């Protein structure tokens, strides 16, 4: 009702969120693209509009169209928690598009944020990155063992030990160390 209001873009973003929840993604995308075309839009507004466009495309199973908007949202946000979340989503999208190298670049950006983002994104970025790399030489396997044990021993990772133990079990399973794998699977269930 107040088109000259300072919060008109915010109101339109919430309106678009409603359209996305009602599975009317095309209308939401059109509305949000108008916000992005506004040259006076603030960075946080651009980030919010971009991530909502990405969510609409994801719901429509148009993952390649969602990627640039997730990247744009990560570039325009100043909130490191959101930046970590957006980069993690970017990595997940690349994984679903079967581009593990690009996914690892996104996960590396989450890992660089370390304590400035949620620990959840940090740990899962490590684990996703590990799953994307094919370790073939003994040197690479040694580095992987060292990284996994570092994640296991880090006190801050206690709430995520079930995931860490599961990845360690998968590693040992691939190496045909079935007793160790079973031990870590049990630890995972116990955690």
């Amino acid at each position: 009702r107040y088109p000259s209001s300072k919060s008109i873009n915010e109101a339109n973003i919430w309106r678009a969120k409603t359209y996305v929840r009602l599975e009317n993604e095309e209308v939401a995308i059109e509305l949000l693209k108008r916000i992005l075309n506004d040259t006076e839009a603030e960075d946080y507004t651009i980030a919010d509009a971009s991530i909502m466009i990405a969510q609409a495309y994801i719901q429509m199973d148009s993952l390649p169209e969602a990627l640039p908007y997730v990247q744009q949202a990560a570039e325009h946000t100043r909130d490191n928690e959101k930046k970590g979340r957006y980069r993690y989503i970017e990595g997940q999208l690349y994984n679903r598009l079967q581009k593990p190298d690009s996914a690892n670049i996104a996960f590396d950006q989450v890992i660089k944020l370390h304590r400035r983002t949620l620990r959840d994104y940090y740990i899962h970025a490590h684990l996703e990155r590990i799953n994307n790399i094919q370790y073939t030489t003994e040197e690479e396997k040694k580095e992987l063992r060292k990284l996994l044990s570092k994640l296991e021993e880090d006190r801050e990772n206690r709430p995520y030990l079930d995931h860490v133990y599961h990845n360690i079990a998968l590693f040992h399973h691939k190496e045909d160390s079935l007793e160790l794998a079973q031990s870590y699977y049990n630890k995972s269930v116990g955690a």
Side-chain angles (χ1 to χ4, degrees), residues 52-109:
M52 281 312 302
I53 290 175
Q55 183 175 350
Y57 278 127
I58 290 169
Q59 281 188 207
M60 294 167 46
D61 276 338
S62 300
L63 302 183
E65 287 84 2
L67 263 170
Y69 290 104
V70 173
Q71 293 165 342
Q72 184 176 14
E75 291 166 8
H76 282 87
T77 189
R78 291 190 181 127
D79 183 354
N80 283 324
E81 284 186 21
K82 286 184 178 180
K83 189 177 294 226
R85 177 175 180 249
Y86 298 159
R87 292 297 181 192
Y88 185 76
I89 291 169
E90 179 184 350
Q92 287 178 315
L93 290 175
Y94 276 123
N95 271 344
R96 286 180 61 190
L97 292 170
Q98 298 174 346
K99 296 181 179 181
D101 293 337
S102 299
N104 284 345
I105 292 170
F107 292 135
D108 283 340
Q109 291 174 339

Side-chain angles (χ1 to χ4, degrees), residues 18-36:
T18 305
Y19 283 131
V20 170
R21 293 248 171 104
L22 294 172
E23 297 180 7
N24 198 349
E25 292 88 1
E26 293 86 6
V27 175
I29 290 170
E30 183 181 320
L31 180 62
L32 292 165
K33 282 186 178 180
R34 275 191 259 151
I35 294 171
L36 291 180

Side-chain angles (χ1 to χ4, degrees), residues 113-126:
L113 289 172
H114 196 59
R115 286 191 176 92
R116 294 177 304 212
T117 192
L118 293 177
R119 194 76 177 172
D120 200 23
Y121 303 131
Y122 175 77
I123 293 298
H124 285 92
H126 267 297

